[in-house]
Amino acid sequence: MENMDVISPENASGPPSPPPPPVRSNSGTMWKKSTLQKCNIFASKATRDAWDRMFDEAHGADVLIHTDDNGLIYAHSNVIGMASDVIRGLMKQDKRNSRRKSISILGVPHDAVRVFIRFLYSSCYEKQDMEDFAMHLLVLSHVYVVPHLKRVCESHFENTLLNEGNVIDVFQLALLCDAPRLGLLCHRMILKSFEEVSTSQGWIAMKQSHPSLHKELVRSVSYELNNLKQRNRKQKEIQTYTHLYDAMEAFVHICRDGCREIGPTKIENPHVSCGFQACNGLEMLLKHLAVCKLRSIPGGCSRCKRMWQLLELHSRICVDSEQCKVPLCSSFKERMKKQSRKDEKRWKLLVKNVLSTKRIGGSPFFLQAIDVTM
């Protein structure tokens, strides 16, 4: 059949469907469940077409299903009863002695009920029918306990059907129909696309009909946005500490080995990379510090102030100031002894965070992060 999606182990999501209840043979013995499950999974296309034809032609149908708008669907009690225990129970409640049983499936469109009953026969459906009636089929699969169809609906929503326009309606259905995975996917989409979702008709209707759910969603969005801000702030802090650590390594490299225009040895080709990305910026600051006339004036040059802070940070993480080639390293070590407790505490926290960015490996020239806390 054209455009027909057939459920099989290759295209079904989630765990495999349970085997149907055991069927008695003519001899009165029961077939093994594993045999029935195997026959159901590996049914040929001809067999599935036969089941579809049996439903379409309704030959020998003994159940009359009433739907909205006075619609009628003919079905076979043995087929739909075996596919759904709930439907079988409804048919038993019909105490009339007529040749045909009668049940009602109301509250959803007639065509959706027809797609649902057809699925009970052959586990087949048209792609367009699933796109049109996925919400209704999800409700029917839950009410009449057809887990195989519920998994199919959840898979279609997850892969193609879920969008900002229907996510609120699907989310409410997921809560009502005990579909936790689908509910989680909807919740993630709501958080991710809250601006678009909050202007949808579903959101406006939910705000009026379910104010408590609306309140919970707003609260969860606010919580998630706050967490996102904290993560971004933490990420920026880590990036800053990483840059500071790289600058400290570049300091040692420039003053001990030399690089480009500063240090004991210079690179012949200034355009060749030395492997330290912070070198270029540090060399510019060092050259500026050497000639700046405002460096000694309190509150004078901001670039010089930044350079003094970097030099002090280096002295606080340097292992051996006597052998260190970085300027003023030992002088800043002596200066530390005269600082207030408040300044000392602030510097120790900064040093700890900078060293923690390279806690694995580290540099032989710097203290280890554990030494800073002692």
Side-chain angles (χ1 to χ4, degrees):
M1 300 177 66
E2 296 182 358
N3 298 326
M4 180 175 292
D5 292 341
V6 180
I7 308 306
S8 65
E10 289 78 14
N11 60 12
S13 63
S17 59
V23 179
R24 292 186 179 275
S25 64
N26 294 333
S27 60
T29 60
M30 293 201 302
W31 294 354
K32 294 182 179 180
K33 292 183 180 180
S34 60
T35 303
L36 288 174
Q37 186 182 25
K38 181 177 180 180
C39 292
N40 182 46
I41 290 177
F42 296 102
S44 65
K45 183 178 183 301
T47 301
R48 295 191 298 268
D49 290 345
W51 283 102
D52 274 332
R53 190 167 60 253
M54 179 181 178
F55 168 68
D56 291 334
E57 297 177 359
H59 181 72
D62 58 348
V63 179
L64 190 59
I65 302 173
H66 297 270
T67 65
D68 285 350
D69 299 326
N70 297 321
L72 294 176
I73 299 175
Y74 294 92
H76 300 80
S77 59
N78 288 337
V79 177
I80 62 176
M82 292 298 293
S84 170
D85 291 338
V86 176
I87 292 180
R88 181 167 54 191
L90 292 175
M91 291 187 296
K92 288 182 178 179
Q93 294 176 8
D94 187 4
K95 302 298 184 180
R96 296 178 301 172
N97 295 323
S98 60
R99 186 172 62 89
R100 281 183 176 152
K101 299 286 185 180
S102 178
I103 62 174
S104 297
I105 300 180
L106 307 174
V108 295
H110 170 84
D111 290 340
V113 179
R114 184 172 182 83
V115 174
F116 171 67
I117 299 299
R118 177 192 180 187
F119 186 90
L120 300 184
Y121 276 75
S122 62
S123 295
C124 298
Y125 57 92
E126 302 290 344
K127 182 179 179 181
Q128 187 61 48
D129 289 338
M130 181 58 66
E131 294 177 357
D132 294 340
F133 305 117
M135 290 189 187
H136 303 296
L137 294 175
L138 178 62
V139 173
L140 291 171
S141 67
H142 175 71
V143 172
Y144 295 101
V145 191
V146 186
H148 191 29
L149 177 58
K150 178 183 280 192
R151 288 194 296 271
V152 172
C153 295
E154 291 176 346
S155 176
H156 276 274
F157 277 118
E158 178 178 354
N159 296 324
T160 58
L161 300 182
L162 194 63
N163 55 59
E164 289 82 359
N166 64 14
V167 64
I168 293 296
D169 295 331
V170 177
F171 180 61
Q172 294 179 84
L173 283 181
L175 296 178
L176 294 173
C177 297
D178 190 23
R181 174 176 172 80
L182 181 59
L184 178 61
L185 294 173
C186 292
H187 190 257
R188 288 177 178 175
M189 179 174 285
I190 294 171
L191 297 179
K192 183 179 179 180
S193 307
F194 181 70
E195 292 186 4
E196 295 82 357
V197 172
S198 60
T199 60
S200 65
Q201 293 297 323
W203 179 271
I204 298 173
M206 178 198 64
K207 186 177 180 179
Q208 297 176 352
S209 59
H210 297 89
S212 59
L213 180 59
H214 171 266
K215 185 178 180 180
E216 287 297 323
L217 281 176
V218 171
R219 183 182 303 172
S220 65
V221 170
S222 177
Y223 178 78
E224 183 64 23
L225 290 177
N226 184 54
N227 285 342
L228 180 61
K229 291 180 180 179
Q230 292 181 0
R231 289 195 297 269
N232 290 338
R233 184 173 66 250
K234 186 67 175 177
Q235 188 64 32
K236 289 181 179 179
E237 290 178 356
I238 294 175
Q239 187 177 13
T240 300
Y241 297 141
T242 302
H243 289 167
L244 286 173
Y245 190 95
D246 293 340
M248 297 301 100
E249 287 189 324
F251 255 141
V252 176
H253 160 67
I254 292 173
C255 299
R256 184 193 63 179
D257 306 325
C259 186
R260 293 186 176 89
E261 302 178 11
I262 299 179
T265 59
K266 301 177 182 179
I267 297 178
E268 296 181 359
N269 186 357
H271 301 290
V272 175
S273 175
C274 66
F276 291 86
Q277 296 181 357
C279 274
N280 188 35
L282 286 176
E283 284 188 333
M284 293 176 63
L285 284 175
L286 286 170
K287 288 191 294 183
H288 170 81
L289 181 66
V291 299
C292 183
K293 298 179 180 181
L294 300 176
R295 64 185 182 184
S296 58
I297 300 176
C301 180
S302 60
R303 296 180 66 186
C304 290
K305 182 178 179 181
R306 181 184 177 193
M307 192 69 226
W308 290 125
Q309 291 173 339
L310 291 175
L311 288 170
E312 182 170 356
L313 176 60
H314 164 80
S315 68
R316 288 179 173 273
I317 66 177
C318 183
V319 174
D320 189 356
S321 296
E322 295 181 359
Q323 301 296 326
C324 183
K325 301 297 182 179
V326 176
L328 303 177
C329 184
S330 57
S331 299
F332 276 108
K333 287 281 189 184
E334 292 296 325
R335 182 185 172 186
M336 290 182 216
K337 301 176 182 179
K338 302 178 182 180
Q339 285 185 333
S340 64
R341 289 185 178 181
K342 182 178 180 180
D343 290 339
E344 186 66 19
K345 185 177 181 180
R346 187 177 72 252
W347 274 104
K348 280 188 174 182
L349 179 61
L350 175 61
V351 170
K352 178 183 176 182
N353 290 331
V354 170
L355 294 177
S356 296
T357 61
K358 300 286 185 177
R359 63 171 60 93
I360 299 177
S363 171
F365 313 110
F366 302 147
L367 298 171
Q368 299 299 314
I370 189 173
D371 298 332
V372 181
T373 60
M374 297 179 62

